[in-house]
Structures are given as structure tokens and as C-alpha cells.
Amino acid sequence: METNSNLICWVVFIGLLFTRFWMISILYAIWWYLDRDTPRQGGRQSAFIRRQTIWKYTKDYFPISLVKTAELDPSRNYVAGFHPHGILATGAFINLCTESTGFSSVFPGIRSHLMLMHWCFWAPVYRDYIMCSGLVSSDKESAAHILSRKEGGNLLSIVVGGVQESLNARPGAYKLVLRNRKGFIRLALTHGADLVPIFSFGENDIYDQVENSPGSWLRWFQDRIQKNIRGSIPLFYGRGVFQYSFGLMPYRRAITTVVGKPIEVQKTPHPSQEEVDRL
């Protein structure tokens, strides 16, 4: 989905250069250059974008719900480990980047940010739109900028398994990529941000995936791509718009995203591997 949106924006941006509207692309390019660091500096959230009606319809389609099991103190900053990735991390986006499930009402005083691969911010216009929803670049500079805010009230969510985990996403099973993904733990220790576990039940049920078990030629090919470009190409399918047998529309299956109780973290500027493993 991100790849298609990126491609469309690039086609329009370049295409305008060969029309009488070429100045639009030139002016945007100047703005883009001046604004190039914003994805690593907390983005640019817009309540108008987060509250758009389309997100409510998206939420109702599955449906998607947000469940709170504990309060989040607005004076603290938090790092959330989100599981699982699923095919498109639908639960993460709808619950954390829109107001369709009432995030700001459920967690008053908390500002939500969700990390996304940095190359997604390379597309003109698309980058501005996704920043408005609360998406930020997935690099250390971006995380440090948010978690260093002394006033607190920031929730930085990381889909820990990433694109590698999406290759295992299929209905009825949850296979997480977690054992060797401890960077978010080190991040929490370094900044003294409490850890919040979030699990999105039903995330893997909304799409089927072509058989790609370890050892198969397809999985070999997907792993190669993942290692080279840090992205994956899961071959998924769901239902059609007017029929239920095949298509790219997700199945209408409930997604329940549960936000767990925060794990208190003491600030440790230079945590050892033992301290990371223990936490």
C-alpha cells in the first residue's frame, strides 16, 4: 500500500514538470527541501486529518476496537512495543494514527506517534499527509527527539517485528519476530521511558497469504529482498469488492487492540546488554 501511494505521488510530481503547471512541482520541491528534517523531528500532527470521516468508516468495516487496561500518566513518556505487524499493521494505524476509536479520549493528555520506515517519507505530498496522522521516521534521531521532551505525554509506538514479521502473517496464527529485536528496550532505558505492551488480536486474520514456509523458493526470494532493501513483499489476498472469493480488500474480521499496563523503566543512559536482556 505504501509502495503504491509513493509511486503515484512520484508520477504526478514528475508529470507536472512537463505541463504548464510545472511551477507547482518546483515550489513544492523548495518546500520539501526546507522541510526535509520534519519526519525526524516529531512530524506534524493534524487533528483535522486524524478525525477524517473515512477513518470511522474504516474502523466500522472490520470492526476495530481499542481496549485500555491501565492509565497512562501524561507526565511520562512511553515506548510501546506493538505486536503483531500483520500484513499492513492496520490496527496500529487506525488506533494510534486516527481518532476513529477515540485515542485522545481513552488516553487523555497522551500524544501518539507511530514509527514508519524512513523511505516512506521520500515521496512528495504523501510524506506530508502521513506526518499529519502522527507517523514519524523510524530512526534513532526521530525517537530521541520525541522521548527527550521533558513535558512528557508522548507515546512512541514501534511495530517491533517489522516487515520480516509480515511474511509470517496468516489467519489463526501469531508468529512474532521478537527474540533478537531489543532495540526498543534499549531505547526505553536510554531515555527513561516506560514500556507499554500493545497486542492487536485479529490483525493476522484480515488477509490470507500465499504459502511461503521457510525453505520454499518464495520465502528465499522474499528474505533476499528483505535483507537488501529492508522491505518485504508479502503475496497476500483477501476478498473482492462485490464478491468474497478473491481480491485485495481485507476480510471483515474484528481487530481488538489491547493496550497493556506500563512497565516502569529507570533511566539508564548507557545500558549494558545484561540490563537490556533483563528488562
Side-chain angles (χ1 to χ4, degrees):
M1 184 176 292
E2 289 91 353
T3 302
N4 291 338
S5 299
N6 271 277
L7 181 60
I8 291 171
C9 287
W10 271 113
V11 168
V12 173
F13 178 75
I14 296 173
L16 285 175
L17 291 172
F18 299 93
T19 71
R20 60 194 175 112
F21 301 108
W22 59 271
M23 185 56 73
I24 295 176
S25 290
I26 297 299
L27 290 174
Y28 182 83
I30 295 172
W31 157 253
W32 189 359
Y33 176 77
L34 296 173
D35 193 57
R36 64 190 181 280
D37 292 329
T38 303
R40 297 190 297 272
Q41 296 178 348
R44 187 187 300 105
Q45 286 197 28
S46 165
F48 173 74
I49 296 296
R50 289 174 62 93
R51 295 179 185 276
Q52 285 187 335
T53 305
I54 189 175
W55 305 132
K56 181 181 183 300
Y57 289 136
T58 303
K59 181 261 294 184
D60 292 340
Y61 173 82
F62 292 94
I64 297 174
S65 57
L66 178 65
V67 177
K68 177 176 72 173
T69 63
E71 298 290 342
L72 297 183
D73 183 353
S75 67
R76 298 280 294 170
N77 288 323
Y78 300 91
V79 172
F82 194 101
H83 319 276
H85 185 286
I87 296 295
L88 298 175
T90 304
F93 179 79
I94 292 299
N95 282 298
L96 302 176
C97 296
T98 80
E99 287 296 328
S100 60
T101 54
F103 181 89
S104 60
S105 298
V106 176
F107 297 104
I110 301 296
R111 190 177 179 88
S112 174
H113 306 270
L114 178 64
M115 300 197 99
L116 183 66
M117 291 180 293
H118 63 91
W119 59 263
C120 292
F121 295 91
W122 295 351
V125 181
Y126 179 70
R127 66 182 291 278
D128 298 279
Y129 187 77
I130 60 178
M131 278 194 290
C132 287
S133 66
L135 288 161
V136 295
S137 180
S138 58
D139 51 49
K140 291 182 179 179
E141 181 184 346
S142 175
H145 183 88
I146 293 170
L147 297 176
S148 297
R149 294 173 176 170
K150 295 182 179 180
E151 70 275 13
N154 295 283
L155 174 70
L156 178 64
S157 298
I158 303 171
V159 186
V160 179
V163 291
Q164 184 179 348
E165 192 173 87
S166 69
L167 298 178
N168 296 320
R170 46 181 36 88
Y174 294 104
K175 187 174 182 180
L176 306 184
V177 177
L178 179 60
R179 185 176 300 148
N180 297 317
R181 297 289 180 94
K182 298 176 183 176
F184 74 109
I185 302 291
R186 186 177 297 276
L187 189 65
L189 280 166
T190 301
H191 294 280
D194 292 348
L195 278 167
V196 179
I198 304 180
F199 202 95
S200 204
F201 295 93
E203 184 69 54
N204 286 355
D205 296 337
I206 63 175
Y207 280 110
D208 284 306
Q209 186 168 179
V210 174
E211 177 57 37
N212 64 339
S213 55
S216 65
W217 70 268
L218 177 57
R219 188 54 170 268
W220 176 86
F221 178 70
Q222 291 172 324
D223 287 341
R224 284 284 181 176
I225 293 178
Q226 197 272 327
K227 289 178 182 177
N228 290 329
I229 67 172
R230 301 184 68 182
S232 69
I233 305 178
L235 298 182
F236 61 92
Y237 60 93
R239 51 161 290 186
V241 178
F242 301 110
Q243 43 79 28
Y244 295 88
S245 57
F246 184 82
L248 293 180
M249 287 279 290
Y251 299 120
R252 298 190 69 176
R253 294 170 181 168
I255 297 175
T256 304
T257 302
V258 181
V259 181
K261 181 181 179 181
I263 301 167
E264 186 175 347
V265 176
Q266 296 298 320
K267 186 173 183 178
T268 310
H270 303 286
S272 66
Q273 188 59 48
E274 182 183 356
E275 289 172 315
V276 172
D277 292 340
R278 186 185 308 122
L279 181 58

